Amino acid sequence: MANGKSGSAKMVLVILASILMIAFFFIDPFPGLEPVGMRFLGIFIWWIVLMVTEPIPTYLSCLAGLVVAIAAGCATFDEAFASFASSTAILLIGAFGLATGLTNSGLLNRLALLVMKLFPGTYKGQVLAVSIASLVIAPTIPSTTAKSAVLVPVVNSICDELGYEPHSKGAVGLISVCNTVTNCCGPMFMTGGIVAAVMLSLYTGSINWGSYFLFALVWGVIVFVGTVLFHLFYYNPDKGVPKDQIKVLGKDVIQQRLNALGKMSRNEIVALLVLLVSIALWITESMHGIPTAVVAVGAWVVLCAFNLFSTADFNSGKMMWTVWALVAAVLGFVDLMSSTGLSTWIGDLVAPAIEVVAGSPALVVIGCAVLSALLMMALVNYLIFAALALALLAAVPMDPLCILFPICMCGMIFILPPQNVCVLAVEGLAGGRISFKDLRPAAVAYIVTCIIGCAASIPWWSILGYIY
């Protein structure tokens, strides 16, 4: 009954928003707005309601907004959908294709096992091994679910070999650190997470793989180190256990898995070479000028040539076309906010209030981070807040990336199941060893380290010239 009432209330809200949108097409523009901006303001409000209530998937809500904007004369088709051919959208296609080819080669599984072999077989040793393995493959796959599909089965086998029972501290700790590093630390790389791609779809500045990594470096180090330390001590199953009774994973277990893989195949060698060249080209973009997106697509084409990517892969969920459509459509929506004058109008409207905080970069950054987390607790998509914040905080003397970054990184929280579906995927891959509530302490730790990381990044961003 509750779900029915909730659904009815959402539908009423959508209908009211639709009526309001149509009304904005006919009433006189607000002072400072042109008629086209007034019409788009109505569409913008309607879009926000669709994104919050989700009567249809979010990517369809964004596409619907673009279609209505064209029909209302707010943009031409070319203007509304130009973002689908943008560098960000092309980068996503190339990155998804590259990630699929790397996964198909088997290389990532071997890399994870090789990293784990380097560390002691104790709980603490394997926490470090899983964390570093997760970080090593982070920039290779933007899909966190795909990375989890590679890593979690390996972690499951470690839990079984160590005799950790389902929901025990040891099992939860190892799977949880894999989840947090994979899901939340990946976006410290431009190609390491969907959140990074979504964020950059809203960003109008120029940035490459290397400069983005430098921008996110302080935040990434703090979140990664904080995550590892939390899991080393909070979930430690060996606390108070006599040394001779501590469970230790024998080196032979990992070696047996490596032996089962055999020698590196031709596919793995090709994948490794393509990966190394791609990362080298991403890092040195400022020297040779080849865009990150071009490198990603080129690497994907090479993997296709070696039969590491098939037509079936192209048509499968591995390419995550709905995510691509969401990112491209959001980028188009942000472009229209600027071209219709809506962003300028909103910025001028709130400029007096913004002047109060404009002189304090720390207040703006920390405020964006905290408010994003609070809004996510109310299940308000961080994309909505990010789009509004760009307009509201346009007068603040800092690069828009300093506003977008804390909002999007804090938008990855996973206190409640609907907040982060990638965490639900990890729960499923764990095969009953953990439940969502087992991960909540780590979710709280992530929020704390994320906000600390954003605050600590402020001096670093000033040095890099992002805070004026």
Side-chain angles (χ1 to χ4, degrees):
M1 181 67 72
N3 289 337
K5 288 183 178 179
S6 175
S8 298
K10 289 181 178 181
M11 188 54 62
V12 169
L13 191 59
V14 170
I15 293 172
L16 291 175
S18 301
I19 294 173
L20 180 64
M21 175 183 67
I22 295 172
F24 271 55
F25 292 175
F26 299 100
I27 61 178
D28 292 335
F30 296 144
L33 263 185
E34 296 294 328
V36 65
M38 187 67 174
R39 294 195 297 274
F40 192 71
L41 175 58
I43 296 170
F44 183 68
I45 295 171
W46 176 73
W47 173 70
I48 289 177
V49 173
L50 287 183
M51 293 287 283
V52 172
T53 58
E54 292 191 66
I56 56 177
T58 52
Y59 75 94
L60 286 179
S61 296
C62 293
L63 289 172
L66 294 179
V67 170
V68 174
I70 295 170
C74 298
T76 65
F77 178 87
D78 289 343
E79 291 170 339
F81 285 92
S83 55
F84 283 74
S86 67
S87 60
T88 300
I90 300 302
L91 170 60
L92 266 186
I93 295 175
F96 288 150
L98 173 60
T100 301
L102 292 174
T103 303
N104 290 344
S105 73
L107 173 67
L108 300 181
N109 187 40
R110 185 183 295 275
L111 288 177
L113 290 170
L114 287 172
V115 170
M116 291 175 183
K117 184 183 176 182
L118 297 175
F119 291 84
T122 61
Y123 170 80
K124 289 185 176 180
Q126 289 306 296
V127 164
L128 293 172
V130 171
S131 301
I132 293 176
S134 300
L135 196 65
V136 165
I137 72 169
T140 67
I141 305 179
S143 168
T144 52
T145 301
K147 281 182 282 198
S148 296
V150 171
L151 291 167
V152 174
V154 178
V155 178
N156 287 342
S157 66
I158 293 174
C159 291
D160 292 341
E161 292 294 337
L162 286 170
Y164 292 151
E165 297 292 329
H167 309 290
S168 65
K169 280 190 172 183
V172 173
L174 288 175
I175 296 171
S176 177
V177 76
C178 177
N179 167 68
T180 307
V181 175
T182 301
N183 272 299
C184 301
C185 294
M188 69 182 290
F189 306 99
M190 180 184 283
T191 52
I194 300 301
V195 171
V198 171
M199 176 179 65
L200 293 175
S201 73
L202 296 168
Y203 182 56
T204 54
S206 176
I207 196 165
N208 58 39
W209 197 94
S211 56
Y212 175 85
F213 175 72
L214 284 177
F215 179 88
L217 182 60
V218 170
W219 174 87
V221 169
I222 289 175
V223 173
F224 178 74
V225 172
T227 295
V228 172
L229 290 175
F230 176 80
H231 286 84
L232 282 175
F233 295 102
Y234 183 85
Y235 290 109
N236 186 5
D238 300 329
K239 192 181 300 182
V241 176
K243 185 175 291 188
D244 60 345
Q245 295 180 26
I246 292 177
K247 297 176 179 178
V248 179
L249 179 70
K251 291 285 186 181
D252 57 313
V253 174
I254 299 296
Q255 188 59 52
Q256 285 173 8
R257 294 193 63 136
L258 284 169
N259 291 342
L261 294 178
K263 294 182 179 180
M264 284 190 71
S265 65
R266 185 211 67 158
N267 287 345
E268 289 178 275
I269 294 173
V270 169
L272 179 60
L273 291 174
V274 169
L275 176 60
L276 292 176
V277 171
S278 298
I279 292 176
L281 290 173
W282 285 333
I283 293 173
T284 59
E285 181 179 340
S286 60
M287 298 172 60
H288 53 69
I290 303 175
T292 302
V294 173
V295 173
V297 173
W300 175 32
V301 170
V302 171
L303 293 181
C304 289
F306 283 90
N307 296 319
L308 287 173
F309 188 95
S310 66
T311 303
D313 290 324
F314 191 86
N315 295 325
S316 71
K318 297 176 182 178
M319 288 298 290
M320 303 186 71
W321 292 112
T322 56
V323 174
W324 173 78
L326 171 64
V327 171
V330 167
L331 181 57
F333 225 80
V334 172
D335 288 343
L336 291 186
M337 286 184 67
S338 177
S339 64
T340 59
L342 183 58
S343 292
T344 302
W345 180 77
I346 294 175
D348 292 342
L349 191 67
V350 300
I354 296 303
E355 288 179 1
V356 177
V357 298
S360 175
L363 189 59
V364 173
V365 171
I366 296 173
C368 284
V370 172
L371 189 53
S372 178
L374 291 175
L375 288 172
M376 283 297 294
M377 289 302 296
L379 301 183
V380 176
N381 193 298
Y382 67 88
L383 277 175
I384 299 170
F385 179 38
L388 284 171
L390 281 179
L392 294 174
L393 301 174
V396 177
M398 61 171 60
D399 190 276
L401 195 57
C402 299
I403 296 168
L404 289 170
F405 191 85
I407 291 173
C408 294
M409 296 308 108
C410 282
M412 291 190 290
I413 66 174
F414 49 100
I415 299 291
L416 304 174
Q419 292 170 332
N420 196 322
V421 294
C422 296
V423 180
L424 293 176
V426 170
E427 181 184 1
L429 289 166
R433 292 173 179 82
I434 62 165
S435 64
F436 198 93
K437 68 178 182 179
D438 291 329
L439 302 176
R440 285 205 175 101
V444 174
Y446 170 70
I447 294 174
V448 173
T449 55
C450 182
I451 294 173
I452 292 173
C454 290
S457 296
I458 294 171
W460 177 241
W461 292 342
S462 296
I463 293 171
L464 294 177
Y466 288 95
I467 295 178
Y468 316 132

